[in-house]
Every structure is written in C-alpha cells, then in structure tokens.
Amino acid sequence: MATIHVDGKSYEVNGSENLLQACLSLGIDIPYFCWHPSLGSVGSCRQCAVTQYANPEDTRGRLVMSCMTPAADNTYISIEDKEATEFRASIVEFLMTNHPHDCPVCEEGGHCHLQDMTVMTQHDRRRYRFTKRTHHNQELGSFIAHEMNRCIACYRCVRYYKDYAGGTDFGVYANASRVYFGRPESGTLESEFSGNLTEVCPTGVFTDKTHSARYNRKWDMQYAPSVCFGCSSGCNISPGERYGEIRRVENRFNGSVNQYFLCDKGRFGTGYVNREDRPRQPQFRNGETVATVSVDQALDQVIAQLKGKKVLGIGSPRASLESNYALRQLVGQDNYSTGMSQKEQNLVELAASIMQTQGIYNPNMREIESYDAVLILGEDLTQTAPRMALSVRQAAKNKAKEMAAKTRTPDWLAEPVQRIGQEAKSPIYILAATQTRLADVATGEVVASPNDIARLGFAVAAAVKGETVSGLDDDAKAFAQTIADTLKVAKKPLIISGTSLQDPAIMEAAAQVAQNLGENAGLSLTVPEVNSMGLALLGGLSLEQAFAQDYDAVVVVENDLTRRIPVAQVKAALDKAETVIVLDHSETETLKLADIVLSAASFAEGDGTVVSQEGRAQRFYQVYDPSYYKPEYAIKESWRWLHAVETGLKGKAVDWTLLDDVIDDIVKNVPVLEAIQDVAPDAGYRIHGLKIAREPRRYSGRTAMRAPLSVHEPKQPTDPDSALTFSMEGYVGNQTASSLVPFAWSAGWNSPQAWNKYQDEVGGHLKGGDSGVRLFDRLAKRPARSYVAPTAVVVNPESFRLVPMHHIFGSGEFTIKTPAMESRIPEAMFAVAEQDATRLNVQDGQRITIKAGETSISLPVQVIEYLPTGYIGYPIGLAPTVSLAEPVSVAVGV
C-alpha cells in the first residue's frame, strides 16, 4: 500500500498501480483515452495530465501523465491545478480538430467515451475553421463498420487487436495527422475477437454492424444481466432489446470470467432470437400442416395425450437447470434423460468427477492468465472455448513481465515490458489433432491422433514423476520429458483439456499430469455447452439408455436430437411414441417431428441458472416480455410449461409461481446444487425500496413502443420472478448486486468505461464479488485416483477414423441460424492429410464419400499439411451427426 495526496487529501492506494488507475479506483475522475485496464499504459494521448509536486512545500510542480506515473508512497498531485486543467482542455481541443461534427448520426452517440471525456474537460466550443482531414473507410466484414474520420489516434485498437488478441491482419499506417488504423486492404477481420474493437475504441471508428441494421441509441434499449450460451465458458453479457428484438450484445464485466472482452460468437451470434420462423405460439403439427393454438388448448391437449401414459423426458445441456429439473419432476427420475448421447454424457460426467477430485484445482478464466507454463491436451481452444484461448494468450506474456519485474518495470507499462521481453514467451505446449490458432504463442505444437495425444499426455505425467512409459518412440519420449521438465520448474503450471476430441483418455491424462505436479498446478476442462456441467451434476439417462426403454410419449425440452445421434436413430426413437411434444425456441429438425410444440423462451425471454465448465453457477434474466409488443405471443420458460402440465396431470395446484419457487425445490431435492440459491438475490431484493431498472435513465419513446397497436400507453409489464423491473423507474447504480447489474452507467460515464464505477479497484473485481458461485469449491472432494494409459490404436490402411474438427462459427447450433454469421461459416468439407490424399489420389475440392454405420456422407476434400495419417477431419455441426468411434470406409467421388 502507498499513501498519495490528491489536491490536499490523503488516500491509501495500491502502490503497484499507476496514478490514473489509483485515482479512478478511488472514484476520482481523470479524463483519459489511450489507457485501458487490460492494455496498460503507453502515454500516447496526453489526456490524463496532472500536476505533480516534489513535496508539500512545492507550489510550482510539473505536468506528468498520470497513466505513466507510479502511485508511489508520498506522491503529491493536483488534478484541479489550473495548468493541468488548461493542458487537458487543450489536448481535447487538439484531438477534436479533425473529428467530424456527427454526434447526432454517429452510432457511438450516447455511449461514447470521447463524448464523456469532452464533457468532463468542459470543452464545448470549436475554434478550428480549416479543412478537416478525411480518410477512406474499409469494408471489414459482417461484424464491424469502419469510420476512420472519427479517429483520435489513441492506439487502443491496434494494441488490443495485435498485442492482446494476437491478430495479424490489422495495423497502424502512415504518420502524423494521416495516421490510419485498419487492414492492409479492405477485407473481413480475421480475429475471432474483433468485435471487442467496438468497446475498446473510445470513439465511433469501429461500430457494431449487426446493430446498424436495426439501430437505436443505447438509452433506448432495455437490458438484463445474462450469460452467453455460445459455449461452456460462462461469459457475462448485457443483451439490449428494442421493439421486441435483440439489437445488440455488450460485454458485462465479470472480473473472474470474461473481464472486458467477448469472442465474436458471443457478441454477434444471438440473431437467431429474432428469426421469423421460430415458434412464438403453441402449435399442433401433422406433417407439413401447422396450426397455431392458444395456451389453454395446448395444455389441455398435452395433458390429455400424457394422462395414464409412460412419458420419457429428454432434457438438454442448453436448457436451464430449472427447466431440466421441471422435466424430471414431470416424468420421474427413472424416465428423465439429460439429452446427451452416451459418449457425450460419459465425457461430461468424467470432467465433473475430475473437478471434484482431491488435489485438483480448477482456476477461473482470469486466473488462467497468471500461469507461467501451460500444456493443452487435445483442444483447439479458439474453436471450442474461445474466451479461454484469449486468457492463454495473456499467460504467454508472463515471461516478459517476469523479465521486466527484474528491472523494476511495472507490468502496466505496456511498451517497456514488451521491449524488455522482445519475443520471449512463457512456455505453452499444445497437443492437438490439427494446427491451432494459438500456434503463434506456442513453444511447441504437435499434431497427432486423439489416441497418440492421450498416450503422450500420460508420458508427460510419468516423466513428471521420473518414470517412463513404453510404446513410444524416442522422439516422443524426449518431447514428453521436455514438457515435464518445463512444468516441474514452473511456479504455476496449468493443464487444459476437454471433451472436443471425444476421447476420455485425453482428460484422464490431463488429470494425471495435474495430480503428479502437485498443489501448484491448475487443471481446466472444457465441456460442449453452456449447461453441460450442470446436467452432469443433476444426473440422468443418456439418450441411448432412454430410448432403449418402452414408452408411450416423449417430451423433448430445448434439444435438437439430430445433432447428438444420427437422424435415423432419432426418427426410429420418436416413431415408437404415440405422441411427441417438443418445447423449443427455434425451428429445429427435431421440432419438425413433433405432434405438439410448446413455444419456449430463449435466454432473452426467460430466467434460469446454468453452470459453466468452471463449475460456476450463474443466472440469466429475461430481457423483455414478448407479449407486451404482440399480445398473441405465448412464449414461456420451459419450466413454466412443464409445471403446468405436471399439475394438470396430477390434479394439484400450481405451486411454482416464481423462479424462486423452482430454485427452492431444486435446493431441497438435489443436494449437489444447493449452492445455486446463493447465485443471485431473490425476487424480494431492493435498493432504497426500488427494483433494479432494466432501462437507462434517458430511456425515451415509451408512448411509441406499441404505436402500431394503440396510441395509448399501456402499463409496463411486471416481473415477479426477479428484482428487475421493465422500466427506467428503478435503481441504476453501483450498489446493485453484481449478479443483477444489467448495464454499466454512472453519472458522466455513459460508455463501457463506466464499469470502472462498479469495481472494487479499476480492472479488478466487481464490488461485493463477481457474479456466480463456484459449485466445485463447495462440494465434498473425492479421493485422488490413478488413471491407466490407453493402448496404441493400430491404423488400418484399408479404413480411416474420423476426428472431430470444430469451428467457432460453424459448429454452433445457433450461429448457423444467425444472419450475420453466414459469411463467416466455412463450407462443409472433410480434411485429409497430404499423405492420405496421395494414397486416395484426391485433390482439394474433389469429393469423397464416407460410410459410417448406415450413414453415407459426401463432401469436398480439403488437403491440409497438419493432420494425423489415417484420420479424416469431420466438420462438427456442418455435416450430419455420425458415430466417430468406429473406422469408416472411403470412396472417392467423380
């Protein structure tokens, strides 16, 4: 700690910070542009100038940039000194000389950091009367719009894109007043994290193109605290709605998870919510014939069809805990399925079991950045858990920080740290089935089959204990020894693995390495979906186990079964049932096979709890009420539909009227999920007697919200399920519990930089703790156990094996239903190694047909250098679901 003196007042601050960060953490406002908590200081904008004095007697002082000055003990500064105030005002005026007068039409207007800082410095007159510099804008793809004329040359964009996110197709060009930030030429930004430019940029240079299609100001959207459903990472988001549409997704700060950044899948992949073809009312279906019915008609028919029947319930890892539990209550525990295939369920349950093992520590996403050696077994993280890949990229920088620390250079001095470190990186080793997007920061990357990855992982585990394993060639043993030696000398080694290659031995190898390394090691395991880990804890039958039973009716909740088991098996299983009832929010292949459809809520229209790969239980909340805009809509959370059916079948009163009622029931009946009651305050939570406002203070146009229906202003919808209100007439501020903060706003801070006001210290954690509860920290630990290395798989030259290949945009169930993603989704192709292409006599673009079981699939070939021999890369999500376990035959097409 250090004592600093600011305008005659003394404060205790963190002495390792710079003065700007220390003052902002105290709630003292200093304008700034180039500095960012995650990017550090470069002192390029000169906007954060303050006067520093040598001692209390010094009356003259000198101007310093607060972002470049340590918060050392007994530092004396003045923010209000006339010279500093005038200097800051002159800097803003200088920056604004070429800035266009386009705030009324700029899409950044209303949440623009430049606007906030200009007001803070009281700059309100333009004296510049000459021709402004102008630039040509670039076409940057379907996500980002470019308007270079608004640039103030703060360098944040290029520092984020290149230095933080590792992008290579974006840079800074020209010089002086002609400086230009963009690509070498127009074209789609290649980074999977490009969308963060919209929030990193303090002006309107980079804006959200998906929002442009249906644009409105920030203050005219209503928000809710939510969780990204794109993968299992559990990133926090603030979806914004207007007129019953999701218009924009913004990052919601969580100091333990995503911090300031999202991947593009999470930011731009929610367009499926607005699709016209989704069911918004209950339906009776008979083949191609679809009839829309009322809620009462639907419930009466469902109850009549299920009464006295044996009902099979199929849950889903993309549905909330509450909806899965309600389904289990309806059909009984013996008839409830998690909705996962046997292989997927085994993998997820193994991951959950490992995380509960004695001696295994599972770090959160932010902690991953602090590890000084990383081994990744079997995961192409950028495709399967992209936000974790961004954290690993930061871990690679710890070597440079360590080198800088020896010269007493603080790590927030971004440029000196980078210069001291040169190209030095913390060791990162990657063993994957194809070359990954983290190859540029990897010390070593090996491409191998899933079986070889697992065996090499066990060899590393053995080498950590000074042992060797048989069956590996000398090169593999030497590489395993090198990795083991690196991990052993590291202060904090980290092992990352997961389920994407569908081989349990890979995760077992990762667990064995972590156990052998001891208490300083971390282990992180990725799982497929947003609530996969939650269902592993809840328990249930696999799809194969469920469909092996006798049953009269099937209820499927938010699950496209054709993405989990082959289509023929799905149709055969559903044909056994007299009635098929599907609850979903999207038109899926499974929904098309239903007799009755109940219109379920998406994450934007309902509340619920999900559990991330870290075991962090988090709550998402309803963003808007669809029936407010169109009263005929009957969209309800799946748990509401299911409980209504259950009470109708059992002839009892409805006793779940609120979300809290369902949570209380889960806590009472599922002990491993008891902690979910602490995830967020209940519906009775108030601040100064007020609920939390979903709408910003400046929210306008309420009388026009339903103008096509009526010119009379209706009453706002009520929300009995949460402490949030569908109104601006509630509390907005930083006293809100972190799990209930719908958006960031503070007086004078309208931009995303307003998160500074919600943090215990700037860039740290949210006041009162970050959102979510880590369940594994509260569960009893299981005894440590040893795992057995698998035997080598002998490659049959007459057949091939399939290896899963994931794509961040192409493999997601709903990204392929999002219009903005269409141009980013690759063509479905098989990947074949060069050696196998020669053996098969095929070239790029030529079609081959594989036969897996009863399924034949024909796709073009992509020949790639880095793929294990005897394996064919199978595009998950872009091709029909097949079993990847057995060898397949290959026929070359014409």
Side-chain angles (χ1 to χ4, degrees):
M1 299 298 289
T3 301
I4 65 172
H5 309 274
V6 183
D7 288 310
K9 296 182 180 179
S10 299
Y11 302 93
E12 289 289 321
V13 299
N14 184 345
S16 64
E17 297 174 349
N18 58 56
L19 284 173
L20 174 60
Q21 187 170 2
C23 288
L24 291 173
S25 297
L26 293 169
I28 301 171
D29 291 344
I30 300 177
Y32 64 92
F33 290 116
C34 65
W35 179 81
H36 187 282
S38 294
L39 306 180
S41 306
V42 291
S44 66
C45 73
R46 324 306 288 170
Q47 186 59 67
C48 65
V50 298
T51 301
Q52 183 178 13
Y53 302 98
N55 52 53
E57 288 74 36
D58 183 3
T59 58
R60 183 171 181 178
R62 63 190 179 100
L63 286 178
V64 298
M65 301 306 120
S66 58
C67 75
M68 300 294 288
T69 308
D73 197 29
N74 282 327
T75 297
Y76 293 83
I77 63 169
S78 173
I79 301 169
E80 299 173 358
D81 177 66
K82 182 180 179 182
E83 184 181 15
T85 302
E86 291 177 349
F87 181 85
R88 293 195 299 268
S90 69
I91 291 296
V92 163
E93 184 175 25
F94 174 73
L95 292 175
M96 296 294 285
T97 54
N98 284 305
H99 194 81
H101 301 199
D102 68 343
C103 291
V105 298
C106 175
E107 295 188 19
E108 198 76 2
H111 64 152
C112 174
H113 186 61
L114 176 60
Q115 284 180 337
D116 290 347
M117 299 299 98
T118 304
V119 171
M120 188 179 293
T121 52
Q122 301 179 16
H123 173 67
D124 58 2
R125 294 290 185 275
R126 290 181 185 254
R127 295 186 292 170
Y128 185 73
R129 294 292 180 266
F130 304 97
T131 302
K132 291 181 180 289
R133 168 218 63 205
T134 56
H135 290 291
H136 291 290
N137 301 318
Q138 292 183 324
E139 172 58 46
L140 298 178
S142 60
F143 296 158
I144 304 292
H146 191 222
E147 178 47 82
M148 256 306 296
N149 293 319
R150 299 174 184 146
C151 182
I152 60 171
C154 71
Y155 286 82
R156 267 198 196 180
C157 59
V158 70
R159 292 173 56 221
Y160 161 73
Y161 196 93
K162 293 182 68 175
D163 299 341
Y164 192 92
T168 58
D169 62 320
F170 183 95
V172 54
Y173 307 96
N175 61 2
S177 64
R178 303 295 302 177
V179 68
Y180 191 93
F181 297 89
R183 301 184 81 250
E185 58 184 8
S186 290
T188 300
L189 288 168
E190 296 172 3
S191 172
E192 295 83 359
F193 308 96
S194 64
N196 293 307
L197 290 172
T198 63
E199 293 185 20
V200 167
C201 176
T203 74
V205 177
F206 303 99
T207 53
D208 185 337
K209 190 178 283 188
T210 65
H211 187 201
S212 302
R214 300 280 285 169
Y215 181 74
N216 53 268
R217 293 299 190 197
K218 175 179 180 176
W219 60 75
D220 278 336
M221 285 188 284
Q222 66 176 349
Y223 301 84
S226 193
V227 178
C228 176
F229 274 55
C231 72
S232 65
S233 296
C235 296
N236 289 195
I237 59 173
S238 289
E241 170 270 344
R242 179 73 166 175
Y243 293 123
E245 297 177 336
I246 293 297
R247 296 285 179 88
R248 178 184 177 118
V249 171
E250 298 178 22
N251 182 75
R252 185 165 68 97
F253 185 88
N254 186 317
S256 298
V257 188
N258 48 294
Q259 300 175 74
Y260 290 97
F261 305 121
L262 298 172
C263 75
D264 288 353
K265 182 179 183 180
R267 188 179 294 274
F268 301 114
T270 58
Y272 66 91
V273 174
N274 302 330
R275 287 181 67 100
E276 291 296 326
D277 63 355
R278 56 170 293 199
R280 291 182 169 88
Q281 296 165 272
Q283 300 171 349
F284 291 165
R285 291 188 169 225
N286 185 6
E288 297 296 320
T289 304
V290 179
T292 299
V293 297
S294 69
V295 170
D296 289 341
Q297 286 177 304
L299 288 175
D300 289 345
Q301 183 69 6
V302 169
I303 291 168
Q305 292 288 336
L306 299 186
K307 190 175 286 290
K309 305 288 179 63
K310 181 177 180 182
V311 184
L312 189 64
I314 307 297
S316 171
R318 66 168 164 89
S320 67
L321 284 175
E322 290 81 358
S323 293
N324 279 284
Y325 178 76
L327 177 64
R328 196 177 84 169
Q329 291 297 97
L330 170 65
V331 302
Q333 190 163 350
D334 293 340
N335 299 319
Y336 165 74
S337 167
T338 62
M340 294 185 276
S341 68
Q342 186 67 62
K343 175 175 277 293
E344 181 182 350
Q345 182 157 325
N346 288 345
L347 290 165
V348 175
E349 287 178 345
L350 173 62
S353 174
I354 290 172
M355 287 299 105
Q356 296 174 70
T357 302
Q358 189 73 38
I360 294 293
Y361 178 70
N362 179 23
N364 63 44
M365 204 104 69
R366 186 183 192 132
E367 289 176 311
I368 287 174
E369 298 180 5
S370 68
Y371 283 83
D372 58 349
V374 181
L375 170 62
I376 302 174
L377 287 176
E379 290 293 312
D380 184 354
L381 286 179
T382 309
Q383 316 303 332
T384 60
R387 186 57 186 81
M388 187 183 293
L390 197 58
S391 293
V392 170
R393 193 170 285 279
Q394 309 322 306
K397 301 171 184 175
N398 287 326
K399 179 66 174 178
K401 292 179 181 179
E402 181 183 343
M403 294 168 65
K406 292 178 180 178
T407 66
R408 298 187 178 181
T409 303
D411 57 18
W412 46 262
L413 280 171
E415 198 277 333
V417 169
Q418 194 175 52
R419 189 170 65 249
I420 292 168
Q422 295 296 320
E423 298 301 317
K425 294 181 177 65
S426 295
I428 296 176
Y429 290 95
I430 303 174
L431 312 182
T434 186
Q435 192 174 35
T436 74
R437 295 280 282 172
L438 288 174
D440 60 308
V441 295
T443 306
E445 184 177 56
V446 169
V447 174
S449 69
N451 177 255
D452 287 340
I453 291 170
R455 293 170 61 238
L456 193 52
F458 275 105
V460 173
V464 167
K465 297 185 70 176
E467 302 169 357
T468 58
V469 294
S470 58
L472 292 179
D473 59 35
D474 292 341
D475 287 345
K477 289 180 181 178
F479 186 61
Q481 188 64 55
T482 299
I483 296 174
D485 291 342
T486 302
L487 295 175
K488 283 196 293 184
V489 299
K491 297 175 183 176
K492 289 180 66 177
L494 173 66
I495 318 301
I496 297 176
S497 188
T499 62
S500 70
L501 291 184
Q502 301 184 17
D503 189 336
I506 296 177
M507 287 194 292
E508 291 175 344
Q512 193 68 65
V513 175
Q515 285 183 179
N516 290 358
L517 286 170
E519 60 182 13
N520 291 331
L523 175 65
S524 188
L525 300 176
T526 69
V527 291
E529 297 191 58
V530 62
N531 203 23
S532 294
M533 200 63 86
L535 261 64
L537 295 174
L538 181 64
L541 304 173
S542 68
L543 284 174
E544 290 88 342
Q545 290 172 328
F547 288 143
Q549 299 182 3
D550 293 325
Y551 48 87
D552 304 310
V554 176
V555 178
V556 182
V557 175
E558 300 179 42
N559 200 337
D560 185 1
L561 305 182
T562 64
R563 292 180 60 88
R564 303 186 186 280
I565 56 178
V567 174
Q569 293 182 32
V570 173
K571 289 182 176 179
L574 298 185
D575 285 345
K576 286 172 56 179
E578 299 172 11
T579 304
V580 176
I581 299 164
V582 174
L583 295 81
D584 214 332
H585 51 71
S586 292
E587 182 88 0
T588 68
E589 293 304 310
T590 300
L591 185 138
K592 293 175 183 177
L593 301 175
D595 301 309
I596 303 173
V597 174
L598 299 180
S599 42
S602 69
F603 77 94
E605 300 132 346
D607 308 314
T609 309
V610 290
V611 183
S612 72
Q613 57 83 24
E614 177 198 338
R616 181 179 295 268
Q618 299 183 101
R619 195 137 311 138
F620 62 93
Y621 289 97
Q622 183 178 7
V623 185
Y624 65 100
D625 183 352
S627 63
Y628 177 72
Y629 302 100
K630 294 194 176 181
E632 67 271 21
Y633 284 174
I635 296 174
K636 304 178 186 298
E637 294 102 327
S638 293
W639 63 262
R640 288 192 191 277
W641 284 115
L642 294 166
H643 187 62
V645 172
E646 181 195 358
T647 54
L649 284 172
K650 297 179 180 178
K652 66 176 186 177
V654 173
D655 52 4
W656 290 353
T657 58
L658 305 175
L659 178 69
D660 291 336
D661 297 333
V662 196
I663 293 171
D664 290 343
D665 215 339
I666 295 174
V667 168
K668 183 171 64 176
N669 294 305
V670 188
V672 294
L673 297 175
E674 182 181 4
I676 69 168
Q677 64 186 330
D678 300 327
V679 166
D682 61 25
Y685 177 83
R686 300 290 185 274
I687 297 178
H688 308 310
L690 299 172
K691 286 188 132 189
I692 312 303
R694 282 180 169 89
E695 299 163 358
R697 284 278 185 245
R698 297 176 64 190
Y699 193 81
S700 62
R702 280 197 308 169
T703 54
M705 296 300 285
R706 293 190 354 141
L709 300 178
S710 172
V711 296
H712 300 289
E713 180 181 358
K715 179 185 176 183
Q716 292 290 102
T718 57
D719 183 6
D721 284 313
S722 76
L724 297 158
T725 178
F726 294 107
S727 172
M728 68 176 179
E729 293 154 358
Y731 177 78
V732 176
N734 58 18
Q735 296 181 38
T736 308
S738 58
S739 56
L740 290 175
V741 179
F743 56 86
W745 177 89
S746 186
W749 295 80
N750 299 286
S751 77
Q753 307 304 311
W755 285 113
N756 295 346
K757 300 297 183 180
Y758 290 77
Q759 296 164 345
D760 54 6
E761 63 176 9
V762 175
H765 299 271
L766 293 175
K767 294 177 179 177
D770 294 317
S771 178
V773 173
R774 282 169 54 97
L775 299 184
F776 294 134
D777 291 349
R778 301 197 180 189
L779 298 177
K781 294 295 184 182
R782 301 174 180 178
R785 56 194 185 277
S786 297
Y787 303 94
V788 179
T791 57
V793 172
V794 179
V795 177
N796 184 346
E798 301 302 318
S799 64
F800 287 82
R801 289 183 177 271
L802 299 180
V803 60
M805 298 191 74
H806 299 262
H807 189 275
I808 179 174
F809 304 127
S811 297
E813 180 175 357
F814 295 116
T815 49
I816 59 177
K817 293 176 178 288
T818 297
M821 292 287 178
E822 290 177 359
S823 64
R824 302 300 302 272
I825 297 174
E827 180 185 359
M829 304 183 83
F830 292 130
V832 179
E834 289 180 347
Q835 185 174 341
D836 287 328
T838 301
R839 178 158 64 99
L840 292 170
N841 193 26
V842 295
Q843 298 176 343
D844 272 332
Q846 191 172 351
R847 299 183 77 87
I848 64 172
T849 300
I850 67 163
K851 185 172 183 182
E854 300 299 315
T855 305
S856 293
I857 301 168
S858 178
L859 291 175
V861 162
Q862 179 185 18
V863 179
I864 60 178
E865 180 181 357
Y866 298 101
L867 197 70
T869 304
Y871 284 79
I872 294 176
Y874 193 83
I876 298 296
L878 296 175
T881 303
V882 296
S883 172
L884 304 181
E886 301 300 323
V888 298
S889 60
V890 177
V892 179
V894 178

